[in-house]
């Protein structure tokens, strides 16, 4: 026994190594933050080498390390282990979510986490290998810091040093916060990338611009900003906010010169929100039914579905039905089910004498759709159970509910498909299997270049799933014509978001021929009616423009100024609000710098793409950005107006403005 004890004592590190515990912990904390910032340098507006993020990284690391210094050995080890684990998990969440959606993790996304977790797949953790390497390095450093923690606490006098460090570091953080923060709900900055101070302030203050905010804060300060904003959201429901919105809407009256105003008055409407159907899927070989429908429709080849929140499908269904944009922060889930949306499509159609019902195979509990859709004005929310669907993977079974979504009296029906939902692997085999052989035969593998085998497999799965949605489109149109509804029914079909479940976003950019993630959000959109002459319109439009377009086409009774978007058929230039304050109007793009945009004309959509098949307008190299120099005051004003527009959309919802208007009307 004595020999064993002697052997074990020789394994004990020398006493002096205990002094390394705190420096190793500090280094682990610092590298965890700094490495993440540098690995994703360029994702936001502020370079990783800038002063503010470095200050936040160093000061927060000092605070965490100094707290450990104040604790006895056991509690120090617990503190170091728990804090490292939590922040390491957050690093993984940041990297994974950025890979999947192009935006970093925000605590506001936790509002949708329970529902999103139902669709989680390990495939979504396909993040940069460098991130795993540095996480491992930081883990080793932290484990060493924990192992070397000294048995004896420092004397009370020495404990004053970490207490002083905490005070100084906290003071430095608060002073920096004070210098960077401004109330952007009141003051709208038109920032210039050449002005670093304004750039820092704009990025820090706009927490809803997740990537920009993260770039100026780093891991720890962003955690504080995001968590505090989510837990203690600003109360927008007040007289001052409503007065400010009154002023905005009074100063922004709207009129339209659309030649299609009232063109669909009296017709029924079926709106189909297609899960994950991207432009590169809509070819005669992959989705012949949808492709044929687009040839018979008015299609908007430059339509975008920006993802303002991580729940991308819900993001689009909210905007498509209400004309508002889902705010990235500042509201709870309950708001969607309780706030007033009097100008939603369902409310307006019902006021015009229509029935209004929604249809999706998902449970009413997912995103609380059962209550949210009723609040939107729908009379019923129909799930798989009451549609007669016994296999939720198969969109083709939705046609079983044809009598429900195409009744005998004037109707508005909102349908959501599901088959192309991710991940694009065996998890969705129920949708893949019926079309697996067909997809393998249709894809021209010889002419395609796949970066990895995973990309090839995911591409094949995605096409198989798209074929299942296309089978529904074919059966749907066939039945609509067979029962005599086609002549008095319009169909709006649109995708909820791009193929974000493909784990290699760069590969999807290559497929679509786009330069960055903003343009990646271009997806199919079209309006079919026997009253409309088929054509392709290349105006830049987005999900914010859907409701004003519907209201105009069907001559619904609504004041158009309360929609922040515009009638797509209006002759005025379009405007697309992306996340992080970026915008695009068809010729110019802004992401902190200004660029002219060159893209193909609408009649180029039949050219061959990289798959050797008929492709959409997004063929490789089809969109190019050229940096503009000598930016005009008009462009700067456009940036200010674009920022004001999207924030007004968010504030209108956050303040429950339409409930206030109703009170004013009846008082």
């Amino acid at each position: 026994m004595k020999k064993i004890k002697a052997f074990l004592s020789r394994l004990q590190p020398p006493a002096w190594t205990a002094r390394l515990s705190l420096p190793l912990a500090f280094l682990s904390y610092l590298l965890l933050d700094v490495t993440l910032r540098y690995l994703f340098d360029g994702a936001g507006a502020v370079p990783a080498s800038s002063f503010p993020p470095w200050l936040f990284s160093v000061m927060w690391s000092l605070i965490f390390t100094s707290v450990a210094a104040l604790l006895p050995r056991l509690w120090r080890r617990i503190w170091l282990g728990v804090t490292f684990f939590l922040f390491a998990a957050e690093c993984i969440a940041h990297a994974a979510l950025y890979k999947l959606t192009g935006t970093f993790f925000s605590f506001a996304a936790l509002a949708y986490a329970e529902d999103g977790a139902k669709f989680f797949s390990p495939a979504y953790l396909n993040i940069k290998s460098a991130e795993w390497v540095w996480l491992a390095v930081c883990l080793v450093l932290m484990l060493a810091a924990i192992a070397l923690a000294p048995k004896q606490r420092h004397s009370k006098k020495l404990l004053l040093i970490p207490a002083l460090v905490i005070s100084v570091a906290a003071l430095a953080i608060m002073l920096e916060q004070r210098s960077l923060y401004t109330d952007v709900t009141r003051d709208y900055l038109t920032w210039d990338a050449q002005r670093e101070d304004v750039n820092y302030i704009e990025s820090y203050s706009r927490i809803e611009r997740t990537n920009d905010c993260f770039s100026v804060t780093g891991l720890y300060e962003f955690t504080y900003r995001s968590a505090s904003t989510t837990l203690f959201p600003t109360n927008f429901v007040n007289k001052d906010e409503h007065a400010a919105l009154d002023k905005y809407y009074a100063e922004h009256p709207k009129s339209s010169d659309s030649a299609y105003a009232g063109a669909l008055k009296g017709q029924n409407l079926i709106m189909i929100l297609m899960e994950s159907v991207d432009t590169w899927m809509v070819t005669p070989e992959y989705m012949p039914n949808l492709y044929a429908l687009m040839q018979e429709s008015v299609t908007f080849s430059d339509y975008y579905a920006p993802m303002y929140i991580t729940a991308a499908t819900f993001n689009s269904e909210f905007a498509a039905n209400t004309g508002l944009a889902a705010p990235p922060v500042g509201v709870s889930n309950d708001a969607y089910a309780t706030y007033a949306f009097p100008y939603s499509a369902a409310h307006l159609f019902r006021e015009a004498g229509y029935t209004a019902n929604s249809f999706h195979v998902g449970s009413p509990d997912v995103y609380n759709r059962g209550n949210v859709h009723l609040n939107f004005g729908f009379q019923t929310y129909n799930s798989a159970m009451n549609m007669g669907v016994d296999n939720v993977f198969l969109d083709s079974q939705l046609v079983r509910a044809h009598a429900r979504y195409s009744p005998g009296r004037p109707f508005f029906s909102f349908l959501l498909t599901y088959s192309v939902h991710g991940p694009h692997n065996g998890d969705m085999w129920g949708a893949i299997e019926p079309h697996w052989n067909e997809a393998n035969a249709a894809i021209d593998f010889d002419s395609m270049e796949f970066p990895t085998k995973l990309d090839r497999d995911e591409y094949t799965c995605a096409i198989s799933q798209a074929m299942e949605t296309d089978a529904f489109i074919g059966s749907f149109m066939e039945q609509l014509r067979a029962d005599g509804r086609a002549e008095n029914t319009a169909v709006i079909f649109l995708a909820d978001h791009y193929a974000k479940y493909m784990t290699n976003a760069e590969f999807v950019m290559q497929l679509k021929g786009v330069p960055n993630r903003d343009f990646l959000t271009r997806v199919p959109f079209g309006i079919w009616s026997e009253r409309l002459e088929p054509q392709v319109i290349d105006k830049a439009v987005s999900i914010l423009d859907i409701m004003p377009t519907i209201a105009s086409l069907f001559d619904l009774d609504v004041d158009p100024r309360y929609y922040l978007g515009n009638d797509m058929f209006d002759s005025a230039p379009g405007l697309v609000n992306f996340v992080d304050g970026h915008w695009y109007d068809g010729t110019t793009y802004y992401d902190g710098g200004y660029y002219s945009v060159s893209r193909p004309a609408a009649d180029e959509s039949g050219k061959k793409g990289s798959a050797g098949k008929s492709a959409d307008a997004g063929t490789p190299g089809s969109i190019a950005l050229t940096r503009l120099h000598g930016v005009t005051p008009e462009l700067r004003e456009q940036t200010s107006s674009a920022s004001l527009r999207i924030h007004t959309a968010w504030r209108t919802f956050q303040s429950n403005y339409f409930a206030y208007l109703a009170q004013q009307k009846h008082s």
Side-chain angles (χ1 to χ4, degrees):
M1 182 63 70
K2 290 183 178 180
K3 290 182 178 180
I4 293 175
K5 289 183 177 180
F7 175 74
L8 292 175
S9 66
R10 286 196 295 271
L11 293 179
Q12 295 293 322
W16 63 267
T17 58
R19 300 174 186 173
L20 297 177
S21 177
L22 292 178
L24 288 173
F26 172 78
L27 189 59
S28 178
Y29 284 128
L30 185 63
L31 284 178
L32 199 63
D33 187 341
V34 172
T35 301
L36 188 65
R37 288 196 290 106
Y38 273 86
L39 283 175
F40 292 94
D41 191 17
V46 176
S49 59
S50 302
F51 174 75
W54 266 103
L55 182 142
F56 286 128
S57 297
V58 171
M59 293 301 113
W60 277 110
S61 298
L62 283 173
I63 288 175
F64 295 141
T65 307
S66 298
V67 169
L70 295 172
L71 301 173
R73 188 186 198 192
L74 176 61
W75 286 104
R76 175 187 294 194
R77 286 177 163 177
I78 293 173
W79 167 261
L80 293 176
V82 170
T83 53
F84 178 84
F85 172 79
L86 292 176
F87 285 117
E90 189 179 343
C91 281
I92 294 172
H94 281 306
L97 198 61
Y98 186 87
K99 182 78 173 178
L100 187 62
T101 67
T103 57
F104 291 118
F105 167 78
S106 167
F107 280 87
L110 293 178
Y112 313 98
E114 182 179 354
D115 296 309
K118 298 173 183 176
F119 307 108
F120 174 77
S121 168
Y124 301 153
L125 295 179
N126 181 28
I127 62 179
K128 293 181 179 180
S129 57
E131 178 64 19
W132 291 117
V133 170
W134 278 105
L135 277 173
V137 170
C138 294
L139 175 62
V140 170
L141 291 172
M142 186 56 74
L143 289 176
I146 293 172
L148 296 175
K151 295 181 180 180
Q152 302 297 324
R153 292 186 71 184
H154 297 297
S155 65
K156 291 184 178 180
K157 289 185 178 180
L158 287 178
L159 290 178
L160 291 176
I161 296 175
L164 180 61
V165 171
I166 291 173
S167 301
V168 172
L171 179 61
I173 289 172
M174 287 188 289
L175 290 174
E176 187 69 1
Q177 290 171 342
R178 186 180 180 86
S179 71
L180 293 178
Y181 181 76
T182 187
D183 185 0
V184 292
T185 65
R186 300 283 182 260
D187 305 316
Y188 293 90
L189 306 177
T190 306
W191 53 271
D192 182 350
Q194 305 301 318
R195 289 273 312 276
E196 284 190 350
D197 56 336
V198 180
N199 192 356
Y200 296 156
I201 293 171
E202 179 85 358
S203 298
Y204 184 86
S205 301
R206 294 199 182 281
I207 184 65
E208 76 282 354
R209 297 181 183 176
T210 308
N211 292 358
D212 287 347
C213 189
F214 182 88
S215 70
V216 77
T217 59
L219 175 64
Y220 306 122
E221 177 66 11
F222 181 81
T223 301
Y224 163 76
R225 287 276 289 128
S226 180
S228 61
T229 304
T230 302
L231 293 173
F232 308 103
T234 303
N235 179 15
F236 289 98
V237 185
N238 58 63
K239 293 181 179 179
D240 290 342
E241 184 65 22
H242 289 154
L245 289 169
D246 283 340
K247 184 174 184 292
Y248 175 89
Y249 286 117
E251 293 175 351
H252 291 79
K254 280 188 178 175
S255 61
S256 174
D257 60 2
S258 169
Y260 293 87
L264 303 182
K265 184 174 183 178
Q267 284 211 312
N268 305 310
L269 174 61
I270 298 176
M271 181 156 53
I272 304 176
L273 188 67
M274 303 178 296
E275 172 68 50
S276 302
V277 172
D278 211 336
T279 54
W280 50 273
M281 300 174 181
V282 188
T283 72
E285 297 81 10
Y286 298 160
M287 300 187 77
N289 294 309
L290 181 57
Y291 184 87
L293 182 62
M294 293 184 72
Q295 308 312 304
E296 301 171 5
S297 305
V298 177
T299 57
F300 287 82
S301 61
D302 214 21
Y303 168 81
Y304 294 82
M307 296 185 294
Y308 301 116
I309 57 176
T310 55
T313 299
F314 188 74
N315 170 81
S316 286
E317 69 185 273
F318 175 72
N321 279 285
T322 66
L324 298 172
V329 296
V331 298
S332 67
N333 279 1
D334 292 340
Y336 295 98
T338 57
Y339 281 16
F341 303 107
Y343 304 135
S344 68
H347 279 300
L348 295 178
F349 275 109
R350 287 178 65 184
E351 288 174 5
Y354 288 62
T355 62
N357 297 282
S358 63
F359 302 82
H360 183 43
V361 295
S363 164
D365 296 332
V366 177
Y367 297 125
N368 197 23
R369 281 191 177 104
N371 293 318
V372 170
H373 282 211
L374 293 181
N375 194 46
F376 287 171
F378 292 109
Q379 292 160 282
T380 61
Y381 170 79
N382 297 271
S383 62
M385 183 178 297
N386 54 356
M387 283 195 288
V389 172
D390 54 36
N391 187 338
V392 297
F393 292 107
L394 300 179
D395 281 347
S396 56
Q397 290 193 1
L398 292 174
V399 77
R400 296 178 180 180
H402 187 84
R404 285 178 174 267
Y405 58 69
S406 179
R409 57 176 294 188
F411 62 86
F412 164 53
S413 295
F414 177 59
L415 281 67
L416 298 92
T417 68
Y418 177 66
S419 292
V420 197
H421 200 288
H424 298 310
N425 57 24
D427 291 359
M428 291 289 292
W429 186 247
I432 296 168
E433 184 179 21
H435 306 278
W436 180 252
N437 292 334
E438 182 186 357
N440 277 274
I443 299 170
D444 189 352
F445 291 106
D446 292 336
S447 67
M448 290 197 67
E449 294 183 5
F450 296 98
T452 67
K453 182 180 182 300
L454 176 63
D455 295 321
R456 176 186 172 121
D457 292 344
E458 288 186 341
Y459 183 94
T460 309
C461 288
I463 294 304
S464 302
Q465 293 170 252
M467 287 177 170
E468 175 58 26
T469 296
D470 192 63
F472 162 67
I473 297 294
S475 298
F476 162 77
M477 290 302 298
E478 181 181 355
Q479 186 63 42
L480 195 67
R481 292 183 170 107
D483 65 12
R485 297 275 191 271
E487 63 184 22
N488 62 355
T489 299
V491 180
I492 293 178
F493 51 93
L494 65 153
D496 56 351
H497 51 75
Y498 72 94
K500 69 172 186 143
Y501 299 110
M502 298 282 286
T503 53
N504 186 350
E506 288 74 20
F507 176 52
V508 182
M509 289 184 203
Q510 174 189 330
L511 290 173
K512 301 181 73 166
V514 297
N516 60 33
R517 285 182 177 269
D518 283 338
F519 288 96
L520 201 57
T521 63
R522 184 174 70 86
V523 292
F525 179 92
I527 305 172
W528 178 90
S529 171
E530 292 186 355
R531 294 187 187 178
L532 300 178
E533 191 71 25
Q535 61 175 305
V536 179
I537 300 175
D538 64 355
K539 179 179 178 180
V541 294
S542 77
I543 52 176
L544 288 179
D545 301 314
I546 294 173
M547 268 311 303
T549 304
I550 291 175
S552 173
L553 285 171
F554 289 85
D555 194 24
L556 300 176
D557 185 14
V558 63
D559 187 338
R561 64 180 164 161
Y562 292 118
Y563 296 128
L564 276 298
N566 298 286
D567 184 349
M568 296 180 182
F569 292 98
D570 190 280
S571 63
L575 176 65
V576 179
N577 288 101
F578 298 114
V579 296
D580 291 335
H582 304 177
W583 59 263
Y584 164 65
D585 66 2
T587 58
T588 305
Y589 168 69
Y590 170 81
D591 68 349
Y594 295 87
Y595 303 82
S596 64
V597 180
S598 60
R599 54 192 178 85
D603 60 2
E604 294 182 11
S605 60
K607 289 188 175 181
K608 297 289 183 179
S610 62
K613 303 294 184 181
S614 300
D616 74 295
T619 53
S622 62
I623 293 180
L625 304 179
T626 304
R627 186 68 180 256
L628 295 175
H629 300 283
V631 179
T632 65
E634 289 76 16
L635 283 178
R636 297 184 187 280
E637 177 59 30
Q638 174 85 315
T639 299
S640 181
S641 297
S643 177
L644 181 56
R645 183 174 91 148
I646 190 63
H647 281 85
T648 300
W650 290 335
R651 291 161 60 218
T652 298
F653 175 31
Q654 290 169 321
S655 68
N656 200 8
Y657 179 69
F658 294 124
Y660 153 78
L661 280 187
Q663 280 185 337
Q664 294 293 102
K665 185 177 180 180
H666 293 97
S667 62

